[in-house]
Structure formats: C-alpha cells, structure tokens
Amino acid sequence: MFAVHLLAFHFTKLKEDQIKKVDRYLYHMRLSDDILLDVMSRFQAEMVKGLGRDTNPTATVKMLPSFVRSLPDGSEKGDFLAVDVGGSLFRAHQVKVFDDGKQSSQLDSKFYPTPKEVIQGNGAELFDYIADCLLDFMETKNLKHKKLPLGFTFSFPCKQTKLEEGVLLAWTKHFKVRGVQDTDVVSSLRKALQKHKDIDVDVFALVNDTVGTMMTCGYDDQHCEVGLIIGTGTNACYMEEMRHIDLVEGDEGRMCINTEWGAFGDDGALDDLRTEFDRELDLGSLNPGKQLFEKMISSLYLGELVRLILLKMTKEGLLFNGKVSTALLTKGKIEMKHVSAMEKYKEGLNNTKEILTELNLFPSEEDCIAVQHVCTIVSFRSANLCAAALAAILTRLRENKKLLRMRTTVGIDGGLYRTHPQYAKRLHKVVRRLVPNCDVRFLLSVSGSGKGAALVTAVAYRLAAQRKQIDAALAPFLLSLETLREVKNKMRTELEYGLRRETQASATVKMLPTYVCGTPDGTEKGKFLALDLGGTNFRVLLVKIRSGRRRSVQMYNKIFAIPLEIMQGTGEELFDHIVQCIADFLEYMGIKGARLPLGFTFSFPCRQASIDKGTLVGWTKGFKATDCEGEDVVDMLREAIRRRNEFDLDIVAVVNDTVGTMMTCGYEDPNCEIGLIAGTGSNVCYMEDMKNIEIVEGNEGKMCINTEWGAFGDNGCIDNIRTKYDKEVDEGSLNPGKQRYEKMTSGMYLGEIVRQILIDLTKQGLLFRGQISESLRKRGIFETKFLSQIESDRLALLQVRRILQQLGLDSTCEDSIIVKEVCGAVSKRAAQLCGAGLAAIVEKKRENRGVERLQITVGVDGTLYKLHPHFSRVLQETVKELAPQCDVTFMLSEDGSGKGAALITAVAKRLHNARALEIC
C-alpha cells in the first residue's frame, strides 16, 4: 500500500515539475485577466474604427455591413435553397420553414468534396463547380421544376452594398482562387447558374457563415443577436445600431455587422502578445502578415503552433531526449484533432502517448505530461483571446441598449468549439468573468451556415412582403403635389363661399367676422384682464401694457383645471366655474374692487354681431356643455358674474385664440396679418378687406376673419383623401361628421389616427407579434406628444421602445421602426394639409393687395407646431411650394390667447376712444 502511495506521489511530483517547466517556457502565452481586459479594450477601439466612414479604410477589423436587418420572428415560411462555400466541403441544402407556431423547419443536405484544383484554380471553374453541385442536388431532390430562392453562404470577407451583392476582399482558409478578388461573387454565381437552362434559381441573399449561425440560433432563441465561429477559421457578427454604421445610409433600426475579426492585430496592435512561434507560423503561411488574430486562435493553425513549440523544445533538449523526428520537421503533421485528443484528461496520458508514438516520437512519461500541457496552454490562450474579443462585442451591445445588465444569446458553431473537450467550458467561463453584467447563453448552431442562409432569405422574403403591406396601409397618407394643389384650390373655394351672403349659411368654412378692425400701433397702454378658455385648463391673466419708449407687456396669470364633468355638464355650471376662478384670481392679485376692461379668449366657433357679442356655433375639443350652442357667451359670462354678485368687469371683447395669436405677433411685427393655431385644434384667421365681407355692412378698411377652417371638408369635398382610419376616428369622436379637416391636422386626433393604423397592422400580423394588447384597444392612449417624442431625430429606437413599453406595448426593434414610420406618415400629412390650407390664405392676401409678390408674416401658436420635430418645417415647405409668389415669415407667438386678448381689448379701447373724439 505504501508503495502505491509512493508511486502516486512520485507521479504527481513528476507532473507538477513538467507543468512548471512548460509554464516557464510558454510564460508569454499565459494571459492574465488584466491582459484580457486590455485586449478587450483594444478590440472595442478597432470596432469603432471599422464602423467610422473616415477610419474604416485603415481599420484592420473591417466591420462589414451584411444588410441583414432583422432576426427571424417565427412567422417565416416557405421552401428555400442554400449553398455553403468556405469549409472543407461544399454543401447544398433544401430548407423548409413552417409557419406552424412551433418555429419548426426541415433540412435536407448533400455534401460535395472541395478539390484542390478548384479551390486554388480560377474563378470560372469555382463557380461552375458550385452550379454543377447545386444542379446535382436539385436533380437528387426532384426540385428542377421549381423556382426557389437561394441563400449563398460564402465564408470569406466580402464588402456588401446590398443583401444580394458582395465583393470579395480577400481569400482565407487556404482558398486561393484566381480572378475572384475585388469582384461580385453573387454575379459570378448567377452567370454560372444561367448556363443551366433547365433550372430557375434566384440568388436572393449573400451570407457569411457567421451571420448564418446567428440567424439559425435566432430562429430558436429570439435573444440571439451575436454569432461566433471558432473552427477552421474564426469570426463574429452581431446586431449593431444603424446610427453607428457610417458606411450605410440611414439611422433607423439595426443591421448585422460581420466583424471579420480574424484580421485584428494585422496593424501591430497585438505584437506585444505574439510569441516567436506565432511569428514563425505566420511567415510559413499562405498569407504572411494577414489574419494574425485568426492564426492565434483558429483550429487551422493551433496544431501547427503546437508542432513549432515542440520542435524548439526538442532542439533545446527539453523533450524526446533531444531527438528531432521527421514528424516534428514536417509542416502540418500535428493537426487540431491531435491536440484535442491529447487534452482528454479523463483518459490520462494514453491518448497522448498513442498519438506521439504514431508520429514516431517515442515519448517518455515526462514527455507526455509536457506535451499535454503545451496543448492545454495553446488551446487555453485561443479560448482566452476569443473570450476577450467576444466580451468587447457583448459590452458594446449592452452599452448600445443603455442597460446596466443585459441578457443575450450567442449562437456558436465551429469544429474547435464542438470537438475540443475543454474549449467550450473555458470560453464560457472567461467570457462570464470578463463581462459579469451580461447574462450570456451559448447556443450551439445546427447546420448554421446552410440553414442560416435559407433563414436570411426567408427573413428577407418576409420583410419584403411586410413592406408591401405597410406601404399599402400608408400609401393614402402620401399626398402628391397635385393633390395638395387640389386641396389648396378647394380651400380657396370654401373661403369664398363663407364670405358671400348667399352661400355663407351653407358654407362649411364659416369665415366668421371678429369685429377686430385694427392691429396694435404701439400706443396701447393700461391694465387689462384676459380670460382664456380653449382646452382642459382655464387661465385668468392681468396684463399691464406700457407705450412709448419703454413699451412693454407684463403678465400675471393663474391656471385652473376644468374637470370633465364641468366640460360636459350644463352651460350654467361651466360659466359659474369660470367666474369662481376669476374671483379667486382677483383676490389673489388684490384687485377685486377694480372694474377693469376684459378680453375673453373663447377658442370655439362663434358668430359675432359685434366685438363684444359672440354666439357659440358649436362645441369642439371635447366640450359638450348643454344650453350653450346658439347662445351669446358674453351674456352667459355677464349673467354668471351677476349671479355671484361679488365684482363687476367691463367685457370689451370676445376673442378667438387664433386672432389673439395674430395680434400678439402684430404687436412685434406690423406685417403680421395672419394667425395660425396648430395644436390641440387647428384654425386660421387673417385680415380681410371689408369690401369682400358681404355679411358685414361697410366697404372701408379691414376686419379680421376667423375662418374656423376645421370644418373644411364637412360637405365631402375632401373625401377623396380621407382614409379608412380617418373615418374610424371621426365615427368614434364626440362630433361625428364635423370638423373633418381638423381631425386630419390637429394634435387632438393625430395620436388616435396612429392608434387605428397600429391596430390594423397588428391584425395583419405586421406588429407586436400579431397580438393587440389591452392598452392598444384604449381610445386616446396614443397622445400626440408621443408622436413628437417618437419622431425626434435625437431619439434612438431603444428609447422609442421604452415609450411604447410605457404605453403597455411590448415592441421589438422592428416594431419600433414601423411605429416611427406610421407616426411620420400621419404627422407629415397633417403638416402638408395645414400648409395647403395656409397657401390658399396667403394667395388670397396677395390677390387682395394686387401685387406680383407678397411679403407677409404669419403668427403661429400651438404645441404641434412648437414641439413636433418636423411639423413646422414640412408646413413651411408646403406653403413655399404651393404659394411660390409669397414670401412668408413665420413668427412664434408668445401667449396669443392671453396677451393677445389683452391687446385686442386695448386696440378696441383705442379705436373706441378715437371714434368718440371724432364724434366730439
């Protein structure tokens, strides 16, 4: 028993000694975590360099766009062909993808040899051979009569400008085919296929094997967004944000980037980590100075690296009694299969001894221990370096998503990963150590390169079909210049109807006289009260206007809420609530005893008989208070003040918010004669010549006309541009059939139009995995402010997804792109329609003045105009296009409904006093 223990002790001591000896000898191959973190940092820098337009030409890690923009979502279906070129065998595949809810597929494959004369011959021979193999496969599977899309897996660095095009940058993996580099390999394959008149194959996608691996695993696990090959060659790909890819136009969505990381270090970035053995191996390769990272980690080179180490150790008398055998001198004699077999620790040293004996090396026990440890160090270094570069990719993904912790899956393939007894475990362990804030699942690919190419093709087919459906849904929102001119002309016709005595009663655009007959001239002064009612909030303001050199306007205001039950209660309740708010404000300001002139901004359609009389035509914006329509709102306010019997006010003017906007801007710019509101509601006013206003007596001077253009189209004149979504929004509104133009252009309704489109697209299976969530069913959930946020150029898709998640909509990256596109289509149409209507107004102003060219200012207010990232620009461009003889300046109003009401009151007082003086 003692002898057994002694023997075991002796063997353990012997093993430790041999391991220490090898460790000392290969000290530079043993990489600490600090070194690996440094490699990770270097690779991150190379990735950034490869993605930049200016730095890419000199980058070693080329970060090639693959034009694969989406991962499988499980709805793909159909029959697809694939050919796979790049490994030790050519492969042809038929892939059936089933849309059965189980994400199932069926793969049939056939393997063909890769003759040396083909992979080191000329291009025509290579592609003819591939075409011949595919023809044979189709004959075998009885597919010659079918027209099938083909995915082409070509596992070499290619520069792609689209999915079905790729220019070969360089051969790798012992391929040296003449006349192919710098040419489009898809074009070459198509030419070869065209020689076979009896088959009809469309090459739909060019795919790198790494991308194929990611797509195959992504079909089974939708968290998979990284692909890794570690075998004869090595490479990685991942889904990058489009906004970071300078080499491709567009910022929306993601695209798979084929890193081509095998060339990492070709610029010397890894020289401090390369050993004398790495340099010797590189010098003896087919491509010296290139693919240096690949030569340190791929199975094609690791066996040779082991041979070079063993050769030198033998020459130095550290192995095999210093006897150098023919095997150690023969390049390629030790292969990766030998290295893997020798590292099977469970089988002790038996494998190592057998392999070395077969190579005529006749090892001692010490030799076997040392050789086994050399193999371990070489393969462990490979796993470490691979883990460092992969950790860099995972870190970039996490940072792109702005996550503290990320869950993701890496699809992986390759002989080294599959067959080496320790490699996978080592790789996983080191990756998790280097990126502790990433929960990584490693998923082994099944037929990744072939099935993956078919899946890329299937996804491309799905996206093309979806694109057709989305385009069809949004096509009615794309208004041509001719259509916009028609809208402008129809608006002009309706404006004229509203101004004429005989047609005004039946006109939809009511063209209401406001009895505001002048704009500010700078002499206005005094204290004025202003009330502002036009939405869910109500404001009371005290406005102090100074004239002369120290001309200024000071405002003090308080905001009060109007509860829904008041908005939709009785008229008496509404006006009693308003007077209660006024009383609170007067007390707050300490002016309850003063009888101040008051301007009442009442942002609803009113027919005025004078500046202080306004009969409500009809409620809009969600108000439904009873016993108000057809009544004079000024009288209703006066009666409510009398009922309270606490204070008295001089109500000088009832004002529309649009008129207030024009007056506010007119105070700053005398050329401002148009007011535009583009917010919750939509409206325009402008100064019209009295001679054109047939419903008001007198032909001298001008009067501001409140167009109330929101009702444009209520007579059906724009039904040709109303979509089914507009009709659904209208039918579900408080006032069906009314304010149709406003429902296509104002902030109150745009979000609801978007919601209706999203429901339709979801029903078609184009969004949210075809599932209509409870939140999406809720009317009004999609507020217009979300359109402004989603369409912001500064907002990444990740933030768009977060907004949608806040709304209870669990979206993918692709969903977010579609939602953003829908929002853009709806808001652009709104801005264009608004611009077409405004063009009709400015053209009318030009004709009124009888000038060849008009210069005019439009005062603008409203959250849609002010806050939406593109609305104002599109509106201005449309006006310029449709009214080219008008130079229009747009001026943002500062508080048109408050300050404007006070200015109208001040102007009315000034004009009243002037008339009184004339009478005197």
Side-chain angles (χ1 to χ4, degrees):
M1 194 67 164
F2 175 74
V4 172
H5 282 299
L6 189 63
L7 191 63
F9 173 77
H10 173 73
F11 177 76
T12 303
K13 185 76 172 67
L14 178 69
K15 190 171 182 180
E16 285 175 0
D17 290 344
Q18 288 300 99
I19 287 172
K20 283 177 184 175
K21 179 175 74 174
V22 174
D23 280 345
R24 283 193 298 273
Y25 196 78
L26 297 180
Y27 171 77
H28 291 294
M29 282 192 161
R30 296 178 63 79
L31 306 177
S32 67
D33 278 4
D34 284 343
I35 291 172
L36 293 178
L37 288 168
D38 184 43
V39 171
M40 180 176 153
S41 178
R42 294 183 210 182
F43 189 73
Q44 282 177 307
E46 286 299 317
M47 290 169 75
V48 172
K49 196 174 174 183
L51 289 169
R53 190 186 304 278
D54 297 332
T55 49
N56 176 270
T58 58
T60 54
V61 179
K62 284 300 180 186
M63 304 294 283
L64 302 173
S66 69
F67 291 84
V68 171
R69 298 173 185 266
S70 179
L71 294 164
D73 70 356
S75 65
E76 295 78 15
K77 60 182 176 181
D79 281 12
F80 304 92
L81 290 173
V83 291
D84 182 359
V85 178
S88 55
L89 295 169
F90 287 152
R91 287 174 284 186
H93 312 273
Q94 180 193 10
V95 182
K96 288 177 181 284
V97 183
F98 303 104
D99 181 20
D100 55 4
K102 300 175 184 175
Q103 291 188 236
S104 54
S105 61
Q106 182 182 316
L107 177 72
D108 285 325
S109 305
K110 190 170 180 180
F111 296 79
Y112 298 88
T114 52
K116 190 172 182 181
E117 62 270 19
V118 171
I119 66 170
Q120 295 189 6
N122 65 56
E125 290 168 349
L126 171 67
F127 290 103
D128 283 346
Y129 182 74
I130 296 169
D132 290 343
C133 292
L134 184 62
L135 176 64
D136 175 75
F137 177 74
M138 292 180 76
E139 284 176 342
T140 304
K141 300 295 178 183
N142 195 27
L143 297 173
K144 283 178 68 176
H145 62 287
K146 286 189 175 183
K147 180 175 181 177
L148 294 174
L150 173 78
F152 181 21
T153 300
F154 191 72
S155 306
F156 304 94
C158 285
K159 183 178 181 180
Q160 290 186 252
T161 51
K162 45 189 173 183
L163 188 59
E164 70 280 14
E165 183 182 281
V167 174
L168 177 66
L169 297 178
W171 287 112
T172 56
K173 311 175 193 173
H174 293 327
F175 276 67
K176 274 283 184 181
V177 183
R178 298 183 301 278
V180 180
Q181 197 166 325
D182 299 322
T183 66
D184 176 18
V185 295
V186 174
S187 178
S188 299
L189 179 57
R190 280 180 175 149
K191 283 177 188 171
L193 288 169
Q194 283 164 9
K195 294 176 185 177
H196 298 283
K197 303 296 183 186
D198 49 347
I199 60 170
D200 189 0
V201 174
D202 181 19
V203 185
F204 205 83
L206 177 70
V207 185
N208 182 279
D209 56 344
T210 322
V211 180
T213 294
M214 181 189 75
M215 294 297 276
T216 302
C217 295
Y219 189 66
D220 298 319
D221 180 347
Q222 291 189 355
H223 286 100
C224 183
E225 49 194 344
V226 181
L228 171 65
I229 296 286
I230 181 71
T232 315
T234 183
N235 195 13
C237 68
Y238 72 102
M239 296 300 289
E240 177 60 86
E241 301 287 326
M242 279 289 290
R243 70 183 188 275
H244 295 148
I245 309 172
D246 289 352
L247 302 172
V248 180
E249 292 300 317
D251 291 330
E252 301 300 339
R254 300 196 300 169
M255 182 181 286
C256 181
I257 288 291
N258 167 22
T259 65
E260 287 299 338
W261 75 5
F264 177 39
D266 286 6
D267 58 352
L270 296 176
D271 279 3
D272 57 325
L273 301 178
R274 292 174 70 224
T275 65
E276 60 180 296
F277 308 110
D278 295 306
R279 291 185 172 85
E280 189 176 348
L281 180 146
D282 176 46
L283 287 172
S285 69
L286 288 170
N287 54 350
K290 293 181 179 178
Q291 299 295 111
L292 297 182
F293 188 62
E294 182 170 84
K295 287 169 185 171
M296 295 169 82
I297 67 174
S298 83
S299 63
L300 188 63
Y301 300 98
L302 295 192
E304 182 61 8
L305 202 55
V306 167
R307 183 188 73 82
L308 292 172
I309 294 167
L310 298 186
L311 176 60
K312 187 171 182 188
M313 289 181 75
T314 304
K315 284 180 176 178
E316 292 180 9
L318 299 174
L319 288 174
F320 312 123
N321 294 318
K323 293 176 183 177
V324 178
S325 70
T326 307
L328 288 181
L329 293 170
T330 306
K331 183 179 175 182
K333 194 67 178 176
I334 298 179
E335 298 174 26
M336 192 63 220
K337 65 181 181 182
H338 299 134
V339 176
S340 296
M342 287 190 282
E343 282 196 74
K344 288 181 179 175
Y345 299 128
K346 288 181 181 177
E347 296 174 27
L349 297 174
N350 293 337
N351 275 353
T352 307
K353 189 164 187 175
E354 281 176 23
I355 290 165
L356 294 176
T357 303
E358 282 173 17
L359 294 171
N360 296 317
L361 291 170
F362 308 109
S364 65
E365 195 167 38
E366 292 96 322
D367 291 335
C368 289
I369 294 168
V371 169
Q372 189 179 61
H373 196 53
V374 167
C375 292
T376 298
I377 288 175
V378 168
S379 62
F380 213 133
R381 185 187 70 157
S382 167
N384 280 341
L385 289 172
C386 185
L390 181 58
I393 289 173
L394 294 170
T395 300
R396 182 169 180 85
L397 267 176
R398 184 182 60 78
E399 289 172 353
N400 281 350
K401 294 181 179 185
K402 295 181 169 57
L403 296 173
L404 293 175
R405 190 167 197 88
M406 179 182 75
R407 175 190 170 193
T408 194
T409 298
V410 176
I412 195 161
D413 203 354
L416 183 54
Y417 185 88
R418 284 174 179 273
T419 60
H420 191 283
Q422 311 294 330
Y423 199 94
K425 193 186 293 183
R426 289 170 186 164
L427 179 72
H428 300 173
K429 191 175 179 180
V430 179
V431 167
R432 287 170 180 143
R433 208 164 64 232
L434 295 178
V435 280
N437 45 8
C438 293
D439 299 320
V440 187
R441 179 192 181 203
F442 291 88
L443 182 60
L444 191 60
S445 169
V446 180
S447 304
S449 51
K451 183 178 174 183
L455 284 169
V456 169
T457 308
V459 168
Y461 254 56
R462 168 176 62 81
L463 293 177
Q466 287 180 349
R467 173 45 47 195
K468 201 175 280 186
Q469 289 173 277
I470 292 163
D471 287 348
L474 298 183
F477 290 88
L478 304 177
L479 303 179
S480 66
L481 198 55
E482 186 182 344
T483 301
L484 291 170
R485 283 199 183 98
E486 282 177 22
V487 172
K488 181 188 87 167
N489 294 336
K490 287 175 181 176
M491 176 66 85
R492 178 63 187 271
T493 301
E494 295 297 317
L495 297 176
E496 300 294 350
Y497 283 162
L499 289 170
R500 290 184 198 141
R501 184 176 281 110
E502 66 271 18
T503 52
Q504 206 273 340
S506 61
T508 53
V509 181
K510 287 298 181 186
M511 303 296 281
L512 303 172
T514 65
Y515 294 87
V516 171
C517 298
T519 51
D521 67 359
T523 63
E524 294 79 14
K525 61 181 179 180
K527 289 182 183 178
F528 303 89
L529 277 179
L531 310 182
D532 175 15
L533 177 67
T536 52
N537 289 327
F538 168 67
R539 284 190 310 154
V540 187
L541 304 95
L542 174 65
V543 183
K544 296 180 181 178
I545 303 174
R546 297 176 70 168
S547 61
R549 284 186 181 179
R550 300 175 69 185
R551 196 174 86 150
S552 65
V553 178
Q554 286 181 298
M555 292 190 295
Y556 308 89
N557 74 86
K558 199 168 183 183
I559 298 171
F560 302 89
I562 300 189
L564 187 64
E565 61 269 20
I566 298 287
M567 287 171 65
Q568 298 182 10
T570 67
E572 193 171 292
E573 288 169 342
L574 174 63
F575 281 92
D576 282 348
H577 179 75
I578 288 169
V579 171
Q580 170 71 59
C581 296
I582 296 169
D584 290 350
F585 179 76
L586 294 176
E587 197 162 324
Y588 173 73
M589 295 299 297
I591 53 171
K592 211 167 190 178
R595 190 175 187 272
L596 295 174
L598 178 144
F600 182 16
T601 298
F602 189 75
S603 306
F604 303 93
C606 282
R607 186 173 281 104
Q608 289 186 250
S610 65
I611 196 166
D612 64 345
K613 288 190 180 298
T615 303
L616 176 63
V617 175
W619 286 118
T620 58
K621 308 175 194 175
F623 276 73
K624 272 284 186 182
T626 59
D627 305 322
C628 294
E629 292 180 0
E631 299 295 326
D632 182 354
V633 294
V634 176
D635 284 346
M636 293 185 81
L637 178 60
R638 283 179 177 140
E639 284 169 19
I641 291 171
R642 275 197 293 273
R643 278 197 299 276
R644 191 168 185 89
N645 198 27
E646 279 185 24
F647 54 85
D648 193 18
L649 297 170
D650 176 17
I651 304 173
V652 173
V654 61
V655 182
N656 182 277
D657 56 345
T658 321
V659 183
T661 294
M662 182 189 74
M663 293 297 272
T664 302
C665 294
Y667 186 69
E668 306 294 335
D669 180 354
N671 209 25
C672 180
E673 291 196 355
I674 302 174
L676 167 67
I677 296 287
T680 312
S682 178
N683 196 16
V684 159
C685 71
Y686 72 102
M687 295 302 290
E688 178 60 271
D689 293 350
M690 282 291 291
K691 66 186 180 201
N692 295 330
I693 311 171
E694 294 182 7
I695 54 175
V696 177
E697 294 299 317
N699 290 325
E700 297 302 316
K702 296 178 180 179
M703 182 183 287
C704 181
I705 290 292
N706 167 21
T707 66
E708 287 299 339
W709 77 359
F712 173 49
D714 286 4
N715 59 359
C717 70
I718 56 170
D719 278 1
N720 63 310
I721 60 168
R722 289 178 76 225
T723 67
K724 63 178 181 179
Y725 310 111
D726 295 308
K727 290 167 186 169
E728 284 165 0
V729 169
D730 179 38
E731 286 164 11
S733 69
L734 289 169
N735 54 350
K738 295 181 179 179
Q739 300 295 109
R740 289 180 177 178
Y741 182 65
E742 182 170 77
K743 286 169 185 171
M744 297 167 82
T745 58
S746 78
M748 186 166 188
Y749 300 98
L750 298 191
E752 185 59 16
I753 296 171
V754 167
R755 188 183 75 89
Q756 292 293 345
I757 298 170
L758 299 186
I759 287 173
D760 187 32
L761 295 180
T762 306
K763 283 178 181 175
Q764 294 181 53
L766 304 172
L767 272 178
F768 310 129
R769 301 173 188 85
Q771 302 297 313
I772 300 176
S773 65
E774 281 306 309
S775 58
L776 194 57
R777 295 179 196 275
K778 292 177 187 171
R779 184 174 294 279
I781 184 180
F782 214 97
E783 297 173 40
T784 299
K785 69 176 182 181
F786 295 128
L787 267 76
S788 298
Q789 291 171 7
I790 286 168
E791 287 190 69
S792 170
D793 293 330
R794 297 188 301 274
L795 212 61
L797 281 179
L798 189 65
Q799 292 161 295
V800 174
R801 286 181 71 182
R802 284 183 185 149
I803 292 168
L804 294 175
Q805 282 165 0
Q806 286 170 17
L807 296 171
L809 303 171
D810 185 20
S811 69
T812 63
C813 179
E814 287 73 27
D815 290 338
S816 301
I817 294 170
I818 294 169
V819 170
K820 193 167 185 175
E821 188 179 350
V822 169
C823 292
V826 171
S827 63
K828 183 178 181 181
R829 184 192 65 161
Q832 287 179 320
L833 286 175
C834 201
L838 189 57
I841 302 275
V842 296
E843 273 294 322
K844 181 163 180 28
K845 288 290 295 178
R846 186 181 69 81
E847 290 174 20
N848 283 356
R849 289 192 194 175
V851 293
E852 187 69 27
R853 191 156 202 91
L854 174 73
Q855 289 195 326
I856 196 164
T857 298
V858 177
V860 196
D861 204 353
T863 51
L864 191 57
Y865 186 92
K866 286 182 172 179
L867 301 181
H868 191 280
H870 308 300
F871 189 93
S872 60
R873 174 183 54 79
V874 174
L875 184 147
Q876 291 173 28
E877 287 171 357
T878 306
V879 172
K880 192 173 184 179
E881 187 77 49
L882 298 179
Q885 291 171 273
C886 302
D887 297 324
V888 184
T889 301
F890 289 82
M891 184 179 188
L892 278 177
S893 165
E894 288 180 36
D895 196 10
S897 49
K899 181 178 173 182
L903 283 166
I904 290 168
T905 306
V907 169
K909 279 285 187 187
R910 171 171 61 78
L911 294 175
H912 176 77
N913 293 338
R915 278 195 297 272
L917 285 170
E918 284 174 16
I919 293 167
C920 293

